[in-house]
Amino acid sequence: MKKFFSNILTILFSIYPLSLFAQTETEVEEANRQLLTVWQKMIPRYTKIQYAGGMGLLSAGAGWNYGHNKSWETEVMLGFVPSFSNDRTKLTMTLRENYVPWSVRLGENWSLQPLSCGIYINTIFDGNLWIKEPKKYPNGYYWFSTKIRNHIQFGQRISFHDKKFTHRTVSFFYELSTCDLYILNACTNKYVRFSDILSLSFGIRIQLI
């Protein structure tokens, strides 16, 4: 009888580490799946190239669309301002949030997005520009930041849907935009017309995923 119980205990203690290892392995696989899901969500869904728009002469970046009918978009873009009369070319960075409320089908492969609107914040990488007024100026002499601009935009898009790829869509768009400083100038100067504070931009957007 003692030998029987001894054999049972031996079997149980030999199985327990295996079951513990199997449980740990399952937990590791689940953690890996969750980590993979997080990384997949971080992959940009589309890429974009834009001319003008207060983000430099030319800018490019990537973004993520989500929500109902993928109506919301968050994107990061890098651009440049050529030297022209300045001393050197400057780089810009822009963080944008767009909203595209609806889409209208135009035949088999085309669609129209009648309204695209959004807000974005832009900065220029230049040591001569600043966020907070330098001490060398009298207090309140410059009441705005020369380094950061806040923008609003609205526009339209027309999109081509490639049937060979489920998610592949190429969109051509234009936007009218303005920034906080322009709006304030228009409000305080009656000679500034609404058309004077708007800038036109256009570009291409490619949905990848």
Side-chain angles (χ1 to χ4, degrees), residues 164-199:
K164 294 181 180 179
F165 302 93
T166 306
H167 300 285
R168 181 67 56 82
T169 301
V170 180
S171 301
F172 304 92
F173 66 89
Y174 79 88
E175 295 176 353
L176 293 172
S177 63
T178 187
C179 69
D180 49 3
L181 189 57
Y182 291 169
I183 294 174
L184 289 172
N185 286 337
C187 292
T188 56
N189 189 339
K190 64 180 181 179
Y191 296 104
V192 177
R193 297 172 299 179
F194 185 69
S195 58
D196 294 333
I197 67 174
L198 293 177
S199 61

Side-chain angles (χ1 to χ4, degrees), residues 67-124:
H68 180 64
N69 292 330
K70 307 293 184 181
S71 296
W72 292 95
E73 300 175 349
T74 301
E75 57 194 35
V76 179
M77 303 187 71
L78 296 176
F80 73 95
V81 180
S83 57
F84 293 131
S85 60
N86 298 323
D87 54 348
R88 63 185 183 278
T89 298
K90 299 178 178 62
L91 296 178
T92 70
M93 185 174 71
T94 304
L95 177 63
R96 296 175 51 120
E97 185 69 20
N98 302 321
Y99 179 60
V100 185
W102 68 86
S103 180
V104 179
R105 298 294 297 187
L106 300 176
E108 191 174 0
N109 296 97
W110 293 87
S111 65
L112 172 69
Q113 291 72 51
L115 176 63
S116 169
C117 56
I119 58 175
Y120 56 99
I121 182 172
N122 169 264
T123 186
I124 301 178

Side-chain angles (χ1 to χ4, degrees), residues 124-137:
I124 301 178
F125 296 104
D126 187 341
N128 296 322
L129 303 179
W130 35 264
I131 299 177
K132 186 178 180 181
E133 181 183 65
K135 293 183 178 179
K136 63 180 180 179
Y137 298 108

Side-chain angles (χ1 to χ4, degrees), residues 36-48 62-67 69-73 161-162 165-171 205-209:
L36 180 61
T37 301
V38 171
W39 278 109
Q40 288 175 342
K41 290 182 178 179
M42 293 178 64
I43 298 174
R45 268 41 185 173
Y46 63 88
T47 185
K48 184 177 182 180
W64 300 260
N65 53 340
Y66 48 89
N69 292 330
K70 307 293 184 181
S71 296
W72 292 95
E73 300 175 349
H161 306 276
D162 192 343
F165 302 93
T166 306
H167 300 285
R168 181 67 56 82
T169 301
V170 180
S171 301
R205 176 188 179 280
I206 304 175
Q207 185 79 29
L208 301 174
I209 300 178

